[in-house]
């Protein structure tokens, strides 16, 4: 067997000349039908899960605090609409360790209009009519002036005392302070607990602390939610700016590809350089300030992330990271300078292709809308599923009771045997849960929701890739451009993809989704094992995470090229993936030195847009610029809208630059096919332009594989190519 035969046998047979081949095949059949049916059934099941969640869930459980009866404080359209705050009868009971286990204070909780603002005991208030009227604002319904104090306390209608409180996350907590090193509440270090006994104000600390621990995660979520409600308008403006910047950049790249690439490279270096300078200035400004030299390890985790910006080590870490990124980019530019020149020429050729398919520039908007719908459906379904539990009531008591912490029914608790056996017990709302079949399989429904989210999101992305590949392939294989192209390349490619290859798109996205869901499970296990001391388990988990990360990247690369082959030949997923892989293996050197360098340049473009929009968002939301101080919204965490704008900007920039990336990949695969099918002679002319031929054929000498000259090009190839181009130009002029 010859050397060529051995090489091609290992990486498949090269394409043969076919005079009937004129680009993307029109007469094609449906592919991967079984997976198409499976995908449709999964979507119908996803809709059923959504309907079930919407019928059972109640997002008010996340937004509003809940009293002891399970009612929502401050909910519009209810009797509690004007009572948005939750009041604890005895906050000191929250100091019990059981609070951290059951996430509920064993004391009556009720909705009030405002928190108490002064010290008062029931015994003293009951003697003065005016003060008792104020006191009754913090009592249950049914309290009358004729009732005695012991009777009121025995029925649990009123708290024994009131302490000055302030609202925090819609809950009334004692207004604790410090005076002369002593803990105070309402400027007093001692208070009457309502039984005639004087208590130290520091006794309230544990109760407040435990109640705060219970609500800490919820506080952060609520603050972030409030920040979004205050800044959503400006976030949308930031994302629109990112979209317009990306669109402007792509349009300029279409007409000024060479200049824009160099401008992009210089701007990225300057933006990162400014980031290093800004971090250094912040680092230097904190020198000598109290508490600025605290280390991140000593500080620990803080829910208020702005605290981290007040220590020098944070800015030093940012500066080091940016400096490393800057050095890596500069070194890559130095070592790849020759390849960058060739990649720029390839981007220019891609710009010509996009010039003939201008509608491709706006296709990412369609993909963005579909992805937004998928994300919105997943998020809403997740919220409704997580809030579809029922209120669970349990027995809380001060003395020993055999029924303590047992489930109870507040409707008939006063007449139940539990109340008879434990007279001082109460039936209070504990948490949301349930024991029905639906509630038992709730975690399974959440898993199904996440899995279908990945599948649908990957399907939408795959649809965009196949559509763009079909449009750009029709450009490449048009002998006379644009006469031999379809009238609407994008719509033609989109129609073929949905009509014939929905199953193929579902198959490729299913494989990718399975790998992604495995990665999510590995991250979950890693989170659960953080406190474990088994080093072998940690090492094994780390290896698995690394392997599946690499596998996901490889599958994405293979899927992308498989969709290009499907768009051209209309075969099923497995056949197309094999053909694409072998074709790339027969042109391995070109893939390494051209395709990836072009991806690097396009990544710099995304980095530039994210950097510009991120810097603007930072100065706007942080209030560092005086001109924006009165305009910027007041926020708990200004990093919330900044991070949202940065992530959104990257996704938007990625969507627009994916057009160029897909165009380059499609042209590259078509070029490799063209080299194998044709030899540049008059009988078998190339479909590539002379410019593209000069760009990619320069690498022939560097490719040691037999595929660099698969069909033994004739010596007069350049002459024939020029004759071919002249004939094409004459035909175009005549047309």
């Amino acid at each position: 067997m010859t050397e060529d035969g051995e090489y091609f046998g290992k990486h498949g047979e090269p394409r043969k000349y076919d005079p009937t081949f004129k680009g993307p095949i029109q007469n094609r059949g449906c592919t991967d039908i079984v997976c198409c049916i499976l995908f449709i059934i999964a979507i119908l099941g996803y809709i059923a899960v959504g309907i079930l969640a919407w019928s059972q869930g109640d997002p008010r459980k996340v937004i509003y605090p809940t009293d002891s009866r399970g009612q929502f404080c401050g909910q519009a359209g209810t009797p509690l609409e004007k009572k948005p705050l939750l009041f604890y009868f005895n906050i000191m009971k929250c100091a019990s360790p059981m609070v951290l286990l059951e996430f509920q204070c064993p004391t009556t909780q009720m909705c009030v209009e405002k928190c108490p603002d002064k010290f008062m005991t029931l015994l003293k208030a009951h003697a003065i009519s005016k003060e008792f009227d104020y006191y009754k604002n913090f009592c249950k319904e049914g309290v009358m002036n004729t009732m005695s104090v012991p009777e009121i306390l025995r029925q649990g209608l009123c708290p024994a005392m009131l302490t000055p409180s302030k609202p925090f996350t819609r809950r009334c907590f004692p207004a604790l302070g410090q005076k002369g090193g002593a803990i105070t509440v309402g400027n007093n270090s001692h208070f009457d607990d309502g039984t005639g006994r004087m208590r130290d104000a520091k006794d309230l600390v544990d109760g407040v602390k435990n109640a705060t621990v219970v609500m800490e995660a919820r506080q952060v979520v609520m603050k972030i939610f409030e920040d979004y409600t205050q800044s959503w308008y400006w976030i949308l403006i930031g994302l629109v700016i990112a979209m317009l910047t990306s669109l402007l950049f792509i349009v300029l790249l279409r007409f000024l590809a060479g200049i824009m690439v160099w401008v992009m490279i210089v701007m990225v270096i300057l933006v990162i350089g400014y980031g290093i300078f800004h971090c250094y200035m912040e680092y230097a400004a904190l020198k000598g300030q109290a508490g600025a030299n605290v280390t991140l390890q000593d500080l620990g985790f803080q829910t208020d992330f702005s605290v981290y910006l007040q220590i020098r080590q944070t800015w030093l870490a940012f500066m080091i990271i940016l400096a490393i990124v800057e050095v890596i980019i500069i070194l890559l530019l130095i070592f790849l300078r020759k390849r960058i020149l060739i990649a720029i020429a390839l981007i220019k050729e891609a710009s010509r292709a996009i010039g003939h398919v201008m509608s491709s520039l706006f296709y990412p908007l369609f993909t963005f809308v579909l992805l937004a719908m998928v994300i919105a459906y997943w998020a809403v379904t997740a919220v409704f599923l997580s809030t579809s539990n029922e209120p669970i009531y349990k027995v809380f008591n001060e003395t020993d009771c055999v029924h303590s912490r047992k489930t109870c029914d507040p409707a008939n608790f006063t007449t139940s045997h539990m109340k008879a056996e434990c007279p001082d017990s109460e039936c209070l709302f504990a948490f949301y849960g349930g024991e029905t079949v639906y509630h038992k399989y709730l975690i399974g429904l959440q898993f199904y929701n996440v899995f279908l989210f990945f599948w649908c999101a990957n399907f939408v992305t795959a649809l965009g890739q196949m559509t763009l590949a079909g449009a750009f392939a029709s450009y490449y294989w048009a002998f006379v451009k644009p006469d031999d192209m379809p009238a609407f390349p994008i719509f033609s490619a989109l129609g073929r993809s949905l009509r014939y290859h929905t199953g193929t798109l579902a198959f490729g996205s299913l494989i990718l989704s399975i790998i992604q869901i495995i990665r999510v499970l590995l991250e979950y296990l890693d989170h659960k094992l953080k406190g474990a001391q088994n080093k072998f388990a940690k090492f094994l988990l780390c290896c698995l995470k690394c392997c599946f990360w690499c596998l996901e990247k490889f599958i994405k690369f293979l899927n992308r090229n498989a969709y290009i082959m499907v768009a051209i030949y209309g075969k099923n997923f497995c056949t197309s993936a094999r053909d694409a892989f072998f074709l790339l293996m027969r042109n391995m050197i070109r893939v390494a030195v051209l395709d990836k360098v072009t991806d690097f340049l396009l990544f710099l473009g995304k980095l530039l847009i994210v950097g510009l929009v991120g810097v603007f968002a930072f100065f706007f939301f942080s209030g560092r610029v005086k001109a924006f101080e009165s305009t910027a919204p007041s926020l708990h965490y200004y990093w919330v809208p900044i991070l949202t704008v940065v992530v959104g900007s990257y996704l938007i920039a990625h969507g627009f630059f994916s057009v160029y990336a897909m165009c380059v990949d499609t042209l590259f695969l078509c070029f490799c096919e063209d080299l194998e099918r044709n030899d540049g002679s008059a009988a078998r002319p190339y479909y590539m332009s002379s410019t593209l031929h000069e760009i990619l054929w320069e690498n022939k000498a560097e490719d040691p594989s037999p595929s660099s000259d698969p069909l033994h090009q004739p010596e007069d190839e350049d002459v024939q190519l020029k004759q071919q181009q002249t004939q094409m130009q004459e035909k175009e002029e005549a047309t």
Side-chain angles (χ1 to χ4, degrees):
M1 185 179 291
T2 64
E3 182 183 351
D4 290 10
E6 290 177 357
Y7 185 85
F8 290 136
K10 188 188 300 183
H11 300 111
E13 293 295 329
R15 297 282 182 182
K16 303 298 183 183
Y17 173 69
D18 182 3
T20 62
F21 180 74
K22 302 295 181 183
I25 296 173
Q26 301 297 326
N27 298 325
R28 57 179 73 194
C30 296
T31 54
D32 298 301
I33 299 175
V34 174
C35 203
C36 178
I37 296 173
L38 182 64
F39 182 65
I40 293 173
I41 294 174
I43 291 295
L44 293 176
Y46 198 22
I47 295 173
V49 169
I51 294 173
L52 183 63
W54 297 338
S55 63
Q56 299 289 330
D58 190 352
R60 296 175 301 177
K61 298 172 185 176
V62 178
I63 301 173
Y64 302 105
T66 310
D67 67 5
S68 297
R69 298 179 180 178
Q71 298 173 313
F72 302 114
C73 300
Q75 181 189 351
T78 66
L80 301 178
E81 180 178 1
K82 295 183 179 180
K83 297 181 178 181
L85 304 175
L86 188 67
F87 171 71
Y88 297 90
F89 269 31
N90 189 354
I91 190 68
M92 288 185 291
K93 290 186 178 180
C94 295
S96 169
M98 293 302 295
V99 173
L100 300 179
L101 298 176
E102 304 204 4
F103 297 98
Q104 185 72 2
C105 290
T107 184
T108 303
Q109 302 165 40
M110 62 176 293
C111 302
V112 295
E113 186 175 351
K114 60 181 181 178
C115 298
D117 55 5
K118 53 186 175 181
F119 273 115
M120 193 175 290
T121 63
L122 178 60
L123 189 63
K124 293 181 180 180
H126 190 268
I128 304 173
S129 177
K130 185 177 180 180
E131 290 190 0
F132 191 56
D133 289 339
Y134 172 81
Y135 204 97
K136 284 192 292 186
N137 292 322
F138 306 97
C139 297
K140 295 180 181 179
E141 296 178 357
V143 178
M144 295 180 292
N145 295 352
T146 56
M147 299 175 68
S148 64
V149 172
E151 185 181 1
I152 294 173
L153 291 175
R154 186 175 62 254
Q155 296 184 24
L157 298 177
C158 291
M161 64 169 181
L162 299 178
T163 59
S165 305
K166 291 183 179 180
F168 181 65
T169 65
R170 298 191 181 186
R171 289 162 178 81
C172 295
F173 290 120
L176 297 175
Q178 197 166 5
K179 186 177 181 181
I183 301 296
T184 62
V185 56
N187 294 323
N188 296 316
S189 58
H190 296 82
F191 64 94
D192 188 340
D193 66 356
T195 62
R197 186 174 55 171
M198 297 301 293
R199 300 285 295 269
D200 199 335
K202 67 181 181 181
D203 294 341
L204 294 168
V205 173
D206 289 337
V208 173
K209 184 178 178 181
N210 275 358
T212 304
V213 169
V214 171
M215 296 299 165
E216 184 173 2
R218 189 168 180 176
Q219 291 169 18
V220 175
V221 173
M222 289 303 299
K223 285 184 177 181
I224 291 175
F225 180 77
E226 289 175 5
D227 285 346
Y228 276 124
T229 59
Q230 294 291 328
S231 61
W232 68 269
Y233 179 77
W234 297 106
I235 291 175
L236 286 181
I237 291 178
L239 295 179
V240 170
I241 291 174
M243 185 180 68
L244 294 177
T245 305
S246 301
L247 185 59
L248 177 63
F249 201 94
I250 290 294
V251 172
L252 291 176
L253 201 62
R254 157 68 183 90
F255 297 102
L256 304 169
I259 297 174
M260 288 302 298
V261 170
W262 286 113
V263 168
M264 175 181 66
I265 292 173
V266 173
M267 288 291 291
V268 167
I269 295 174
L270 291 178
V271 168
I272 298 178
Y274 172 77
I276 297 172
F277 170 76
H278 182 81
C279 291
Y280 173 77
M281 295 301 294
E282 294 286 349
Y283 176 78
L286 290 172
K287 184 178 181 180
Q289 293 191 12
N293 291 321
V294 177
T295 63
L296 292 172
Q297 186 175 3
D298 294 337
L299 185 63
F301 177 75
Q302 301 291 328
T303 55
D304 186 1
F305 292 96
S306 61
V307 173
Y308 294 106
L309 301 180
Q310 307 303 319
I311 61 176
R312 302 183 75 200
Q313 197 177 73
T314 302
W315 293 105
L316 180 62
F318 287 159
M319 184 168 59
I320 293 173
I321 292 171
L322 290 176
I324 293 173
V325 172
E326 182 90 325
V327 171
I328 291 174
I329 291 176
I330 292 175
L331 289 177
L332 285 174
L333 292 173
I334 292 173
F335 289 113
L336 298 175
R337 60 188 183 280
K338 292 184 179 179
R339 296 301 170 195
I340 287 174
L341 294 174
I342 300 174
I344 289 174
L346 187 59
I347 291 176
K348 288 182 179 179
E349 185 63 27
S351 298
R352 294 190 185 94
I354 291 175
H356 287 286
V357 193
M358 286 296 290
S359 56
S360 62
L361 291 178
F362 302 96
Y363 185 84
L365 297 177
F366 177 67
T367 301
F368 177 76
V369 170
L370 291 181
L371 283 176
M373 292 171 60
V374 171
I375 294 172
Y377 186 88
W378 163 76
V380 171
T381 303
V383 169
F384 274 87
L385 281 174
S386 61
T387 59
S388 58
N389 291 315
E390 298 173 348
I392 301 298
Y393 299 88
K394 289 196 172 185
V395 176
F396 291 94
N397 60 292
E398 297 183 2
T399 59
D400 291 335
C401 176
V402 293
H403 302 293
S404 178
R405 305 303 187 268
K406 288 186 178 180
T407 305
C408 58
D409 184 1
N412 56 9
F413 182 73
T414 54
T415 59
S416 66
H417 69 283
M418 294 182 182
K419 183 68 173 177
E421 295 176 13
C422 305
D424 64 336
S425 63
E426 292 182 278
C427 184
L428 304 178
F429 168 77
F431 55 86
Y432 288 103
E435 298 180 355
T436 64
V437 176
Y438 170 76
H439 294 101
K440 288 181 180 179
Y441 291 99
L442 199 56
I443 186 67
L445 295 178
Q446 285 282 25
F447 179 83
Y448 186 78
N449 182 35
V450 173
F451 180 73
L452 262 293
F453 164 70
F454 281 126
W455 197 357
C456 293
N458 290 326
F459 180 87
V460 170
T461 304
L463 177 62
Q465 291 175 347
M466 187 179 290
T467 300
L468 292 174
F472 293 129
S474 64
Y475 159 82
Y476 184 93
W477 295 109
F479 195 77
V480 179
K481 304 173 179 59
D483 295 350
D484 294 343
M485 292 173 58
F488 302 101
I490 289 290
F491 289 105
S492 299
L494 179 62
R496 287 196 302 269
S497 300
L498 289 175
R499 181 179 178 184
Y500 299 109
H501 306 303
T502 299
T504 300
L505 295 170
F507 190 11
S509 54
L510 174 62
I511 296 173
L512 186 58
S513 301
I514 292 173
I515 295 172
Q516 289 172 336
I517 205 71
I518 292 174
R519 288 194 63 202
V520 170
L521 293 176
L522 289 175
E523 291 292 341
Y524 175 76
L525 288 176
D526 186 38
H527 176 73
K528 288 294 184 182
L529 294 175
K530 279 194 181 295
Q533 301 299 322
N534 192 331
K535 295 187 179 296
F536 176 75
K538 291 182 178 180
F539 172 76
L540 182 61
L541 193 61
C542 184
C543 291
L544 287 173
K545 287 167 62 178
C546 181
C547 290
F548 275 96
W549 180 84
C550 295
L551 181 60
E552 181 184 355
K553 296 299 179 184
F554 174 74
I555 292 298
K556 283 184 176 180
F557 173 77
L558 189 63
N559 282 7
R560 184 184 183 89
N561 290 283
Y563 296 144
I564 296 174
M565 300 301 283
V566 173
I568 297 174
Y569 294 104
K571 297 181 180 179
N572 61 40
F573 178 81
C574 294
T575 303
S576 300
R578 182 198 62 195
D579 293 344
F581 180 74
F582 284 155
L583 180 61
L584 293 172
M585 290 299 294
R586 295 195 296 268
N587 296 271
M588 192 184 306
I589 300 297
R590 293 192 181 97
V591 173
V593 301
L594 287 179
D595 198 34
K596 297 301 116 185
V597 174
T598 307
D599 288 344
F600 171 69
L601 291 179
L602 295 177
F603 172 74
L604 290 183
K606 301 174 195 175
L607 211 60
L608 175 61
I609 292 172
V610 171
L612 291 175
V613 178
V615 168
F616 173 78
F618 173 76
F619 282 111
F620 179 80
F621 289 110
S622 64
R624 300 295 179 93
V625 180
K626 292 184 178 180
F628 296 145
E629 282 183 345
S630 58
T631 308
S634 178
L635 304 171
H636 297 289
Y637 309 125
Y638 67 79
W639 55 264
V640 170
I642 294 175
L643 193 61
T644 305
V645 169
V646 167
V647 174
S649 299
Y650 178 81
L651 295 176
I652 291 172
H654 177 74
F656 280 99
F657 278 89
S658 65
V659 175
Y660 262 86
M662 202 67 206
C663 182
V664 169
D665 289 346
T666 304
L667 293 181
F668 182 79
L669 275 186
C670 291
F671 165 81
C672 296
E673 288 264 321
D674 198 5
L675 282 182
E676 293 185 350
R677 286 181 174 277
N678 306 302
D679 59 7
S681 63
R684 295 159 61 182
Y686 288 130
Y687 281 82
M688 72 187 80
S689 65
S690 57
T691 307
L692 185 60
H693 181 271
E694 291 171 3
I695 295 169
L696 297 177
W697 197 250
E698 288 178 7
N699 299 279
K700 176 176 68 171
E702 302 177 20
D703 191 346
S705 68
S707 64
S708 61
D709 192 15
L711 296 177
H712 306 290
Q713 311 297 331
E715 295 180 358
D716 59 342
E717 173 192 322
D718 292 338
V719 177
Q720 294 172 349
L721 188 61
K722 291 179 181 178
Q723 292 175 351
Q724 173 193 344
Q725 296 298 324
T726 304
Q727 293 172 359
M728 291 174 61
Q729 290 176 1
E730 291 176 354
K731 186 173 180 181
E732 289 177 359
E733 291 174 358
T735 303

